[in-house]
Amino acid sequence: QVQLVESGGGLVQAGGSLRLSCVASGDIFSIKTMGWYRQAPGKQRELVAKLVPGGRTNYADSVKGRFTISRVNANNTLYLQMTSLKPEDTAVYYCNLGTTTTTNSRLLDVWGQGTLVTVSS
């Protein structure tokens, strides 16, 4: 079993910054992808930023230049540094992990519980 625990959400004024963290633990064998998604009230969940094989990163157009995704391999921690926050960034942010385990070579899709980010105007 694999678990994700997110932290770092909160209330911030427009123009401010926050850093989200996501710690992955459990039966992790080989991480393929790690990323952040968000879901605003009344909207579908959308990709914010993602690390993919080869060291590439994908960002939503709406966050390019403002958000930075990074990972510390040693402790399987994923970060999302968010700057110049806007009210439209308000959402629940979810960490996502694509990994194989020691007992299953099939890619496992794991989600965290989410952390709320609220940006006031």
Short mmCIF file of all heavy atoms in Angstrom, two decimals, residues 33-107:
data_model
loop_
_atom_site.label_atom_id
_atom_site.label_comp_id
_atom_site.label_asym_id
_atom_site.label_seq_id
_atom_site.Cartn_x
_atom_site.Cartn_y
_atom_site.Cartn_z
N THR A 33 5.72 8.87 -12.18
CA THR A 33 5.26 10.25 -12.29
C THR A 33 4.84 10.76 -10.92
O THR A 33 4.38 10.01 -10.06
CB THR A 33 4.04 10.39 -13.24
OG1 THR A 33 2.96 9.62 -12.72
CG2 THR A 33 4.38 9.91 -14.65
N MET A 34 5.02 12.07 -10.73
CA MET A 34 4.50 12.73 -9.54
C MET A 34 3.95 14.08 -9.99
O MET A 34 4.59 14.75 -10.82
CB MET A 34 5.58 12.95 -8.48
CG MET A 34 6.09 11.68 -7.84
SD MET A 34 7.20 12.02 -6.43
CE MET A 34 6.01 12.33 -5.11
N GLY A 35 2.83 14.47 -9.43
CA GLY A 35 2.26 15.72 -9.88
C GLY A 35 1.27 16.31 -8.92
O GLY A 35 0.91 15.70 -7.91
N TRP A 36 0.87 17.51 -9.25
CA TRP A 36 -0.14 18.24 -8.48
C TRP A 36 -1.33 18.54 -9.40
O TRP A 36 -1.14 18.97 -10.56
CB TRP A 36 0.41 19.56 -7.94
CG TRP A 36 1.43 19.38 -6.87
CD1 TRP A 36 2.79 19.37 -7.03
CD2 TRP A 36 1.18 19.20 -5.48
NE1 TRP A 36 3.39 19.18 -5.81
CE2 TRP A 36 2.44 19.08 -4.84
CE3 TRP A 36 0.03 19.13 -4.69
CZ2 TRP A 36 2.57 18.89 -3.46
CZ3 TRP A 36 0.16 18.95 -3.33
CH2 TRP A 36 1.41 18.83 -2.73
N TYR A 37 -2.52 18.33 -8.85
CA TYR A 37 -3.75 18.67 -9.51
C TYR A 37 -4.56 19.55 -8.57
O TYR A 37 -4.27 19.62 -7.38
CB TYR A 37 -4.55 17.40 -9.84
CG TYR A 37 -3.91 16.54 -10.91
CD1 TYR A 37 -2.77 15.78 -10.63
CD2 TYR A 37 -4.45 16.47 -12.19
CE1 TYR A 37 -2.18 15.00 -11.62
CE2 TYR A 37 -3.87 15.68 -13.17
CZ TYR A 37 -2.74 14.96 -12.87
OH TYR A 37 -2.15 14.18 -13.85
N ARG A 38 -5.56 20.21 -9.11
CA ARG A 38 -6.42 21.01 -8.24
C ARG A 38 -7.85 20.95 -8.73
O ARG A 38 -8.12 20.70 -9.91
CB ARG A 38 -5.94 22.46 -8.20
CG ARG A 38 -6.08 23.23 -9.50
CD ARG A 38 -5.45 24.61 -9.36
NE ARG A 38 -5.58 25.39 -10.59
CZ ARG A 38 -5.00 26.57 -10.78
NH1 ARG A 38 -4.24 27.11 -9.82
NH2 ARG A 38 -5.17 27.21 -11.92
N GLN A 39 -8.74 21.19 -7.78
CA GLN A 39 -10.17 21.21 -8.11
C GLN A 39 -10.81 22.37 -7.39
O GLN A 39 -10.84 22.41 -6.15
CB GLN A 39 -10.83 19.89 -7.70
CG GLN A 39 -12.27 19.78 -8.17
CD GLN A 39 -12.81 18.37 -8.06
OE1 GLN A 39 -12.26 17.52 -7.37
NE2 GLN A 39 -13.89 18.10 -8.76
N ALA A 40 -11.29 23.31 -8.17
CA ALA A 40 -12.00 24.45 -7.62
C ALA A 40 -13.48 24.10 -7.47
O ALA A 40 -13.98 23.19 -8.14
CB ALA A 40 -11.83 25.65 -8.55
N PRO A 41 -14.20 24.82 -6.62
CA PRO A 41 -15.62 24.53 -6.43
C PRO A 41 -16.39 24.58 -7.74
O PRO A 41 -16.28 25.55 -8.50
CB PRO A 41 -16.08 25.64 -5.48
CG PRO A 41 -14.85 26.02 -4.74
CD PRO A 41 -13.72 25.88 -5.72
N GLY A 42 -17.14 23.52 -8.00
CA GLY A 42 -17.96 23.49 -9.20
C GLY A 42 -17.22 23.19 -10.49
O GLY A 42 -17.80 23.24 -11.57
N LYS A 43 -15.92 22.88 -10.37
CA LYS A 43 -15.13 22.62 -11.57
C LYS A 43 -14.51 21.24 -11.51
O LYS A 43 -14.43 20.62 -10.46
CB LYS A 43 -14.03 23.68 -11.72
CG LYS A 43 -14.57 25.08 -11.97
CD LYS A 43 -13.44 26.04 -12.30
CE LYS A 43 -13.97 27.43 -12.63
NZ LYS A 43 -12.88 28.37 -12.98
N GLN A 44 -14.04 20.78 -12.66
CA GLN A 44 -13.38 19.49 -12.72
C GLN A 44 -11.93 19.61 -12.22
O GLN A 44 -11.33 20.68 -12.26
CB GLN A 44 -13.39 18.96 -14.15
CG GLN A 44 -14.77 18.54 -14.64
CD GLN A 44 -14.69 17.85 -15.99
OE1 GLN A 44 -13.79 18.09 -16.79
NE2 GLN A 44 -15.65 16.96 -16.26
N ARG A 45 -11.42 18.48 -11.79
CA ARG A 45 -10.02 18.44 -11.37
C ARG A 45 -9.14 18.66 -12.59
O ARG A 45 -9.38 18.10 -13.67
CB ARG A 45 -9.70 17.10 -10.72
CG ARG A 45 -8.36 17.04 -10.03
CD ARG A 45 -8.18 15.73 -9.27
NE ARG A 45 -9.17 15.60 -8.18
CZ ARG A 45 -9.14 14.62 -7.29
NH1 ARG A 45 -8.19 13.71 -7.34
NH2 ARG A 45 -10.07 14.56 -6.36
N GLU A 46 -8.09 19.47 -12.40
CA GLU A 46 -7.21 19.79 -13.52
C GLU A 46 -5.76 19.65 -13.11
O GLU A 46 -5.40 19.80 -11.93
CB GLU A 46 -7.46 21.22 -14.01
CG GLU A 46 -7.16 22.30 -12.99
CD GLU A 46 -7.33 23.71 -13.53
OE1 GLU A 46 -7.73 23.86 -14.69
OE2 GLU A 46 -7.05 24.66 -12.78
N LEU A 47 -4.92 19.40 -14.10
CA LEU A 47 -3.49 19.31 -13.88
C LEU A 47 -2.93 20.69 -13.57
O LEU A 47 -3.24 21.67 -14.24
CB LEU A 47 -2.80 18.74 -15.11
CG LEU A 47 -1.28 18.75 -15.08
CD1 LEU A 47 -0.74 17.75 -14.07
CD2 LEU A 47 -0.71 18.45 -16.47
N VAL A 48 -2.07 20.75 -12.55
CA VAL A 48 -1.34 21.97 -12.25
C VAL A 48 0.10 21.84 -12.75
O VAL A 48 0.59 22.65 -13.52
CB VAL A 48 -1.34 22.27 -10.74
CG1 VAL A 48 -0.49 23.49 -10.44
CG2 VAL A 48 -2.76 22.45 -10.23
N ALA A 49 0.78 20.79 -12.29
CA ALA A 49 2.16 20.57 -12.68
C ALA A 49 2.50 19.10 -12.47
O ALA A 49 1.96 18.46 -11.56
CB ALA A 49 3.11 21.43 -11.86
N LYS A 50 3.41 18.59 -13.29
CA LYS A 50 3.70 17.17 -13.25
C LYS A 50 5.15 16.92 -13.63
O LYS A 50 5.68 17.58 -14.54
CB LYS A 50 2.77 16.44 -14.24
CG LYS A 50 2.79 14.94 -14.18
CD LYS A 50 1.73 14.39 -15.13
CE LYS A 50 1.62 12.90 -15.05
NZ LYS A 50 0.57 12.37 -15.95
N LEU A 51 5.78 15.98 -12.92
CA LEU A 51 7.11 15.49 -13.28
C LEU A 51 6.92 14.18 -14.01
O LEU A 51 6.23 13.28 -13.52
CB LEU A 51 7.95 15.25 -12.02
CG LEU A 51 8.27 16.46 -11.16
CD1 LEU A 51 8.94 16.02 -9.86
CD2 LEU A 51 9.17 17.42 -11.92
N VAL A 52 7.55 14.07 -15.17
CA VAL A 52 7.41 12.85 -15.96
C VAL A 52 8.79 12.25 -16.21
O VAL A 52 9.81 12.92 -15.99
CB VAL A 52 6.70 13.16 -17.30
CG1 VAL A 52 5.28 13.65 -17.04
CG2 VAL A 52 7.49 14.17 -18.13
N PRO A 53 8.83 10.98 -16.65
CA PRO A 53 10.13 10.36 -16.91
C PRO A 53 11.00 11.19 -17.85
O PRO A 53 10.50 11.82 -18.77
CB PRO A 53 9.74 9.02 -17.54
CG PRO A 53 8.41 8.72 -16.96
CD PRO A 53 7.72 10.05 -16.83
N GLY A 54 12.29 11.17 -17.57
CA GLY A 54 13.22 11.95 -18.37
C GLY A 54 13.51 13.29 -17.76
O GLY A 54 14.27 14.08 -18.32
N GLY A 55 12.89 13.55 -16.61
CA GLY A 55 13.16 14.81 -15.92
C GLY A 55 12.37 15.99 -16.44
O GLY A 55 12.64 17.14 -16.07
N ARG A 56 11.42 15.72 -17.31
CA ARG A 56 10.63 16.82 -17.86
C ARG A 56 9.51 17.22 -16.90
O ARG A 56 9.08 16.43 -16.07
CB ARG A 56 10.04 16.42 -19.20
CG ARG A 56 11.09 16.23 -20.30
CD ARG A 56 10.45 15.78 -21.60
NE ARG A 56 9.91 14.44 -21.51
CZ ARG A 56 8.62 14.15 -21.62
NH1 ARG A 56 7.73 15.13 -21.79
NH2 ARG A 56 8.19 12.90 -21.54
N THR A 57 9.08 18.46 -17.05
CA THR A 57 7.96 18.96 -16.26
C THR A 57 6.88 19.49 -17.19
O THR A 57 7.17 20.04 -18.25
CB THR A 57 8.40 20.09 -15.31
OG1 THR A 57 9.01 21.13 -16.08
CG2 THR A 57 9.40 19.58 -14.29
N ASN A 58 5.66 19.30 -16.79
CA ASN A 58 4.52 19.87 -17.51
C ASN A 58 3.78 20.81 -16.56
O ASN A 58 3.52 20.45 -15.42
CB ASN A 58 3.55 18.77 -17.96
CG ASN A 58 4.16 17.86 -19.00
OD1 ASN A 58 5.08 18.25 -19.72
ND2 ASN A 58 3.67 16.63 -19.10
N TYR A 59 3.44 21.98 -17.04
CA TYR A 59 2.70 22.95 -16.25
C TYR A 59 1.43 23.36 -17.01
O TYR A 59 1.44 23.48 -18.24
CB TYR A 59 3.52 24.22 -16.00
CG TYR A 59 4.66 24.05 -15.05
CD1 TYR A 59 5.95 23.82 -15.52
CD2 TYR A 59 4.47 24.15 -13.67
CE1 TYR A 59 7.01 23.67 -14.65
CE2 TYR A 59 5.53 24.01 -12.79
CZ TYR A 59 6.79 23.77 -13.29
OH TYR A 59 7.84 23.63 -12.41
N ALA A 60 0.38 23.62 -16.25
CA ALA A 60 -0.79 24.23 -16.84
C ALA A 60 -0.42 25.64 -17.29
O ALA A 60 0.38 26.32 -16.62
CB ALA A 60 -1.93 24.30 -15.83
N ASP A 61 -0.98 26.07 -18.39
CA ASP A 61 -0.66 27.41 -18.89
C ASP A 61 -0.95 28.49 -17.85
O ASP A 61 -0.24 29.49 -17.76
CB ASP A 61 -1.46 27.71 -20.16
CG ASP A 61 -0.97 26.90 -21.36
OD1 ASP A 61 0.17 26.40 -21.31
OD2 ASP A 61 -1.73 26.78 -22.34
N SER A 62 -1.97 28.28 -17.05
CA SER A 62 -2.39 29.29 -16.09
C SER A 62 -1.40 29.49 -14.94
O SER A 62 -1.48 30.50 -14.23
CB SER A 62 -3.76 28.92 -15.51
OG SER A 62 -3.70 27.65 -14.87
N VAL A 63 -0.47 28.55 -14.77
CA VAL A 63 0.48 28.67 -13.65
C VAL A 63 1.92 28.81 -14.10
O VAL A 63 2.82 28.99 -13.27
CB VAL A 63 0.36 27.47 -12.68
CG1 VAL A 63 -1.09 27.29 -12.23
CG2 VAL A 63 0.91 26.19 -13.30
N LYS A 64 2.17 28.72 -15.39
CA LYS A 64 3.53 28.84 -15.90
C LYS A 64 4.14 30.17 -15.47
O LYS A 64 3.53 31.22 -15.59
CB LYS A 64 3.54 28.72 -17.43
CG LYS A 64 3.39 27.30 -17.93
CD LYS A 64 3.42 27.25 -19.46
CE LYS A 64 3.24 25.83 -19.96
NZ LYS A 64 3.18 25.76 -21.44
N GLY A 65 5.38 30.08 -14.98
CA GLY A 65 6.08 31.28 -14.54
C GLY A 65 5.78 31.67 -13.10
O GLY A 65 6.45 32.53 -12.54
N ARG A 66 4.76 31.04 -12.52
CA ARG A 66 4.39 31.37 -11.13
C ARG A 66 4.59 30.19 -10.18
O ARG A 66 4.93 30.39 -9.01
CB ARG A 66 2.93 31.81 -11.06
CG ARG A 66 2.61 33.04 -11.90
CD ARG A 66 1.20 33.54 -11.61
NE ARG A 66 0.18 32.56 -11.96
CZ ARG A 66 -0.73 32.07 -11.10
NH1 ARG A 66 -0.72 32.47 -9.84
NH2 ARG A 66 -1.63 31.19 -11.51
N PHE A 67 4.38 28.99 -10.67
CA PHE A 67 4.48 27.79 -9.84
C PHE A 67 5.70 26.98 -10.27
O PHE A 67 6.04 26.92 -11.47
CB PHE A 67 3.25 26.91 -10.00
CG PHE A 67 1.99 27.47 -9.41
CD1 PHE A 67 1.90 28.77 -8.95
CD2 PHE A 67 0.85 26.66 -9.31
CE1 PHE A 67 0.73 29.27 -8.41
CE2 PHE A 67 -0.33 27.15 -8.77
CZ PHE A 67 -0.39 28.45 -8.33
N THR A 68 6.33 26.31 -9.29
CA THR A 68 7.46 25.45 -9.58
C THR A 68 7.29 24.13 -8.85
O THR A 68 7.09 24.11 -7.63
CB THR A 68 8.78 26.10 -9.14
OG1 THR A 68 8.94 27.37 -9.80
CG2 THR A 68 9.96 25.21 -9.51
N ILE A 69 7.38 23.04 -9.59
CA ILE A 69 7.29 21.71 -9.01
C ILE A 69 8.70 21.16 -8.85
O ILE A 69 9.56 21.37 -9.70
CB ILE A 69 6.43 20.78 -9.88
CG1 ILE A 69 6.17 19.45 -9.17
CG2 ILE A 69 7.05 20.56 -11.25
CD1 ILE A 69 5.14 18.56 -9.89
N SER A 70 8.92 20.48 -7.72
CA SER A 70 10.23 19.87 -7.48
C SER A 70 10.06 18.64 -6.61
O SER A 70 9.02 18.45 -5.98
CB SER A 70 11.18 20.88 -6.82
OG SER A 70 10.69 21.28 -5.56
N ARG A 71 11.12 17.85 -6.59
CA ARG A 71 11.04 16.59 -5.86
C ARG A 71 12.37 16.32 -5.17
O ARG A 71 13.43 16.58 -5.73
CB ARG A 71 10.73 15.45 -6.83
CG ARG A 71 10.83 14.04 -6.25
CD ARG A 71 10.65 13.00 -7.35
NE ARG A 71 10.96 11.67 -6.87
CZ ARG A 71 10.97 10.58 -7.64
NH1 ARG A 71 10.70 10.69 -8.93
NH2 ARG A 71 11.26 9.40 -7.14
N VAL A 72 12.30 15.81 -3.95
CA VAL A 72 13.47 15.32 -3.24
C VAL A 72 13.39 13.81 -3.25
O VAL A 72 12.54 13.21 -2.59
CB VAL A 72 13.54 15.86 -1.80
CG1 VAL A 72 14.72 15.23 -1.07
CG2 VAL A 72 13.67 17.38 -1.82
N ASN A 73 14.25 13.18 -4.05
CA ASN A 73 14.16 11.74 -4.23
C ASN A 73 14.44 10.96 -2.96
O ASN A 73 13.84 9.91 -2.72
CB ASN A 73 15.14 11.29 -5.32
CG ASN A 73 14.75 11.79 -6.69
OD1 ASN A 73 13.57 12.05 -6.95
ND2 ASN A 73 15.71 11.95 -7.57
N ALA A 74 15.34 11.48 -2.14
CA ALA A 74 15.78 10.73 -0.97
C ALA A 74 14.63 10.38 -0.03
O ALA A 74 14.64 9.32 0.60
CB ALA A 74 16.86 11.50 -0.22
N ASN A 75 13.67 11.27 0.06
CA ASN A 75 12.56 11.00 0.98
C ASN A 75 11.21 11.03 0.27
O ASN A 75 10.17 11.17 0.92
CB ASN A 75 12.57 11.98 2.15
CG ASN A 75 12.55 13.42 1.69
OD1 ASN A 75 12.33 13.70 0.52
ND2 ASN A 75 12.79 14.34 2.61
N ASN A 76 11.24 10.87 -1.04
CA ASN A 76 9.99 10.79 -1.82
C ASN A 76 9.03 11.94 -1.50
O ASN A 76 7.84 11.73 -1.25
CB ASN A 76 9.29 9.45 -1.59
CG ASN A 76 10.03 8.30 -2.23
OD1 ASN A 76 10.67 8.46 -3.26
ND2 ASN A 76 9.93 7.13 -1.64
N THR A 77 9.57 13.13 -1.47
CA THR A 77 8.75 14.30 -1.18
C THR A 77 8.64 15.17 -2.42
O THR A 77 9.63 15.43 -3.09
CB THR A 77 9.35 15.12 -0.03
OG1 THR A 77 9.44 14.29 1.13
CG2 THR A 77 8.49 16.32 0.28
N LEU A 78 7.42 15.59 -2.67
CA LEU A 78 7.11 16.45 -3.81
C LEU A 78 6.70 17.81 -3.29
O LEU A 78 5.98 17.90 -2.29
CB LEU A 78 5.99 15.85 -4.64
CG LEU A 78 5.60 16.56 -5.92
CD1 LEU A 78 6.70 16.38 -6.97
CD2 LEU A 78 4.28 16.03 -6.45
N TYR A 79 7.16 18.86 -3.96
CA TYR A 79 6.82 20.21 -3.55
C TYR A 79 6.15 20.97 -4.69
O TYR A 79 6.36 20.66 -5.87
CB TYR A 79 8.07 20.98 -3.13
CG TYR A 79 8.80 20.40 -1.96
CD1 TYR A 79 9.93 19.61 -2.15
CD2 TYR A 79 8.36 20.65 -0.66
CE1 TYR A 79 10.60 19.06 -1.07
CE2 TYR A 79 9.04 20.11 0.43
CZ TYR A 79 10.15 19.32 0.22
OH TYR A 79 10.81 18.79 1.29
N LEU A 80 5.36 21.94 -4.31
CA LEU A 80 4.82 22.89 -5.28
C LEU A 80 4.99 24.28 -4.68
O LEU A 80 4.31 24.63 -3.72
CB LEU A 80 3.36 22.62 -5.59
CG LEU A 80 2.75 23.52 -6.67
CD1 LEU A 80 3.38 23.19 -8.04
CD2 LEU A 80 1.23 23.37 -6.74
N GLN A 81 5.93 25.03 -5.22
CA GLN A 81 6.13 26.40 -4.79
C GLN A 81 5.23 27.29 -5.62
O GLN A 81 5.33 27.31 -6.85
CB GLN A 81 7.59 26.81 -4.98
CG GLN A 81 7.89 28.24 -4.56
CD GLN A 81 7.73 28.45 -3.08
OE1 GLN A 81 8.26 27.70 -2.26
NE2 GLN A 81 7.00 29.50 -2.70
N MET A 82 4.35 28.00 -4.95
CA MET A 82 3.38 28.84 -5.63
C MET A 82 3.65 30.30 -5.29
O MET A 82 3.68 30.66 -4.11
CB MET A 82 1.96 28.46 -5.23
CG MET A 82 1.65 26.98 -5.43
SD MET A 82 -0.07 26.56 -5.08
CE MET A 82 -0.10 26.81 -3.30
N THR A 83 3.84 31.12 -6.28
CA THR A 83 4.08 32.54 -6.08
C THR A 83 3.07 33.34 -6.89
O THR A 83 2.40 32.81 -7.77
CB THR A 83 5.50 32.93 -6.49
OG1 THR A 83 5.67 32.69 -7.90
CG2 THR A 83 6.54 32.13 -5.73
N SER A 84 3.00 34.62 -6.59
CA SER A 84 2.07 35.53 -7.29
C SER A 84 0.68 34.92 -7.36
O SER A 84 0.05 34.89 -8.43
CB SER A 84 2.60 35.83 -8.70
OG SER A 84 3.87 36.43 -8.65
N LEU A 85 0.22 34.44 -6.25
CA LEU A 85 -1.07 33.74 -6.22
C LEU A 85 -2.22 34.68 -6.57
O LEU A 85 -2.20 35.87 -6.22
CB LEU A 85 -1.29 33.10 -4.86
CG LEU A 85 -0.50 31.80 -4.66
CD1 LEU A 85 -0.39 31.46 -3.18
CD2 LEU A 85 -1.17 30.66 -5.41
N LYS A 86 -3.21 34.10 -7.23
CA LYS A 86 -4.39 34.84 -7.66
C LYS A 86 -5.63 34.20 -7.06
O LYS A 86 -5.62 33.00 -6.75
CB LYS A 86 -4.50 34.80 -9.18
CG LYS A 86 -3.28 35.30 -9.93
CD LYS A 86 -3.43 35.09 -11.43
CE LYS A 86 -2.20 35.56 -12.18
NZ LYS A 86 -2.34 35.35 -13.65
N PRO A 87 -6.71 34.97 -6.92
CA PRO A 87 -7.94 34.37 -6.38
C PRO A 87 -8.40 33.14 -7.17
O PRO A 87 -8.95 32.20 -6.59
CB PRO A 87 -8.95 35.51 -6.49
CG PRO A 87 -8.12 36.75 -6.33
CD PRO A 87 -6.83 36.43 -7.06
N GLU A 88 -8.13 33.13 -8.47
CA GLU A 88 -8.55 31.97 -9.28
C GLU A 88 -7.69 30.74 -9.03
O GLU A 88 -7.99 29.67 -9.57
CB GLU A 88 -8.52 32.33 -10.77
CG GLU A 88 -7.25 32.97 -11.26
CD GLU A 88 -7.32 34.49 -11.30
OE1 GLU A 88 -7.86 35.09 -10.34
OE2 GLU A 88 -6.83 35.07 -12.30
N ASP A 89 -6.65 30.86 -8.23
CA ASP A 89 -5.88 29.68 -7.82
C ASP A 89 -6.54 28.96 -6.64
O ASP A 89 -6.07 27.89 -6.24
CB ASP A 89 -4.46 30.08 -7.42
CG ASP A 89 -3.64 30.62 -8.58
OD1 ASP A 89 -3.73 30.04 -9.69
OD2 ASP A 89 -2.91 31.61 -8.40
N THR A 90 -7.58 29.54 -6.09
CA THR A 90 -8.28 28.92 -4.97
C THR A 90 -8.84 27.57 -5.38
O THR A 90 -9.58 27.47 -6.36
CB THR A 90 -9.41 29.83 -4.48
OG1 THR A 90 -8.84 31.04 -3.94
CG2 THR A 90 -10.24 29.15 -3.41
N ALA A 91 -8.47 26.54 -4.63
CA ALA A 91 -8.89 25.18 -4.96
C ALA A 91 -8.36 24.23 -3.89
O ALA A 91 -7.52 24.61 -3.06
CB ALA A 91 -8.34 24.77 -6.33
N VAL A 92 -8.84 23.01 -3.96
CA VAL A 92 -8.21 21.92 -3.21
C VAL A 92 -7.13 21.34 -4.11
O VAL A 92 -7.40 20.99 -5.27
CB VAL A 92 -9.22 20.84 -2.81
CG1 VAL A 92 -8.50 19.69 -2.10
CG2 VAL A 92 -10.31 21.42 -1.92
N TYR A 93 -5.93 21.27 -3.59
CA TYR A 93 -4.79 20.77 -4.35
C TYR A 93 -4.49 19.33 -3.92
O TYR A 93 -4.38 19.04 -2.72
CB TYR A 93 -3.57 21.66 -4.11
CG TYR A 93 -3.65 22.97 -4.86
CD1 TYR A 93 -4.56 23.95 -4.48
CD2 TYR A 93 -2.85 23.22 -5.97
CE1 TYR A 93 -4.67 25.14 -5.18
CE2 TYR A 93 -2.94 24.40 -6.68
CZ TYR A 93 -3.85 25.36 -6.29
OH TYR A 93 -3.96 26.54 -6.98
N TYR A 94 -4.35 18.48 -4.93
CA TYR A 94 -4.12 17.06 -4.70
C TYR A 94 -2.77 16.64 -5.25
O TYR A 94 -2.39 17.01 -6.37
CB TYR A 94 -5.20 16.23 -5.38
CG TYR A 94 -6.59 16.45 -4.86
CD1 TYR A 94 -7.43 17.41 -5.43
CD2 TYR A 94 -7.09 15.68 -3.81
CE1 TYR A 94 -8.71 17.60 -4.95
CE2 TYR A 94 -8.37 15.87 -3.33
CZ TYR A 94 -9.18 16.83 -3.90
OH TYR A 94 -10.46 17.02 -3.44
N CYS A 95 -2.09 15.83 -4.49
CA CYS A 95 -0.86 15.20 -4.94
C CYS A 95 -1.21 13.88 -5.62
O CYS A 95 -2.11 13.16 -5.17
CB CYS A 95 0.04 14.96 -3.73
SG CYS A 95 1.62 14.18 -4.07
N ASN A 96 -0.50 13.57 -6.68
CA ASN A 96 -0.74 12.32 -7.41
C ASN A 96 0.58 11.61 -7.68
O ASN A 96 1.59 12.27 -8.00
CB ASN A 96 -1.45 12.62 -8.73
CG ASN A 96 -1.62 11.39 -9.59
OD1 ASN A 96 -0.90 11.19 -10.56
ND2 ASN A 96 -2.56 10.53 -9.23
N LEU A 97 0.54 10.30 -7.57
CA LEU A 97 1.75 9.49 -7.74
C LEU A 97 1.45 8.32 -8.65
O LEU A 97 0.43 7.65 -8.47
CB LEU A 97 2.20 8.98 -6.37
CG LEU A 97 3.38 8.01 -6.33
CD1 LEU A 97 4.67 8.74 -6.69
CD2 LEU A 97 3.50 7.38 -4.95
N GLY A 98 2.32 8.09 -9.61
CA GLY A 98 2.24 6.89 -10.44
C GLY A 98 3.46 6.05 -10.14
O GLY A 98 4.58 6.45 -10.43
N THR A 99 3.24 4.87 -9.55
CA THR A 99 4.37 4.07 -9.11
C THR A 99 4.07 2.59 -9.24
O THR A 99 2.91 2.17 -9.27
CB THR A 99 4.72 4.39 -7.64
OG1 THR A 99 5.91 3.67 -7.25
CG2 THR A 99 3.58 3.99 -6.71
N THR A 100 5.12 1.80 -9.33
CA THR A 100 4.98 0.36 -9.16
C THR A 100 5.36 0.02 -7.73
O THR A 100 6.00 0.83 -7.03
CB THR A 100 5.88 -0.40 -10.14
OG1 THR A 100 7.25 0.00 -9.93
CG2 THR A 100 5.50 -0.09 -11.59
N THR A 101 4.94 -1.14 -7.29
CA THR A 101 5.28 -1.57 -5.94
C THR A 101 6.16 -2.81 -6.01
O THR A 101 6.40 -3.36 -7.10
CB THR A 101 4.01 -1.88 -5.13
OG1 THR A 101 3.38 -3.04 -5.68
CG2 THR A 101 3.04 -0.72 -5.17
N THR A 102 6.62 -3.27 -4.87
CA THR A 102 7.47 -4.45 -4.87
C THR A 102 6.70 -5.72 -5.23
O THR A 102 7.29 -6.73 -5.58
CB THR A 102 8.13 -4.64 -3.49
OG1 THR A 102 7.11 -4.78 -2.51
CG2 THR A 102 9.01 -3.45 -3.14
N THR A 103 5.38 -5.65 -5.13
CA THR A 103 4.56 -6.83 -5.39
C THR A 103 3.73 -6.71 -6.65
O THR A 103 3.03 -7.66 -7.01
CB THR A 103 3.63 -7.10 -4.20
OG1 THR A 103 2.83 -5.94 -3.97
CG2 THR A 103 4.43 -7.41 -2.94
N ASN A 104 3.78 -5.55 -7.31
CA ASN A 104 2.94 -5.36 -8.49
C ASN A 104 3.66 -4.47 -9.49
O ASN A 104 3.94 -3.31 -9.19
CB ASN A 104 1.59 -4.74 -8.09
CG ASN A 104 0.57 -4.82 -9.21
OD1 ASN A 104 0.91 -5.00 -10.38
ND2 ASN A 104 -0.69 -4.64 -8.86
N SER A 105 3.95 -4.99 -10.66
CA SER A 105 4.65 -4.21 -11.68
C SER A 105 3.71 -3.29 -12.46
O SER A 105 4.15 -2.46 -13.23
CB SER A 105 5.37 -5.14 -12.65
OG SER A 105 4.43 -5.98 -13.29
N ARG A 106 2.41 -3.46 -12.23
CA ARG A 106 1.45 -2.57 -12.90
C ARG A 106 1.48 -1.22 -12.22
O ARG A 106 1.60 -1.11 -11.01
CB ARG A 106 0.05 -3.17 -12.82
CG ARG A 106 -1.00 -2.43 -13.62
CD ARG A 106 -2.36 -3.08 -13.48
NE ARG A 106 -2.85 -3.00 -12.13
CZ ARG A 106 -4.02 -3.51 -11.73
NH1 ARG A 106 -4.78 -4.15 -12.58
NH2 ARG A 106 -4.41 -3.38 -10.49
N LEU A 107 1.35 -0.17 -13.01
CA LEU A 107 1.41 1.19 -12.48
C LEU A 107 0.22 1.46 -11.57
O LEU A 107 -0.93 1.28 -11.96
CB LEU A 107 1.45 2.20 -13.63
CG LEU A 107 1.85 3.63 -13.26
CD1 LEU A 107 3.30 3.67 -12.79
CD2 LEU A 107 1.66 4.54 -14.46
#
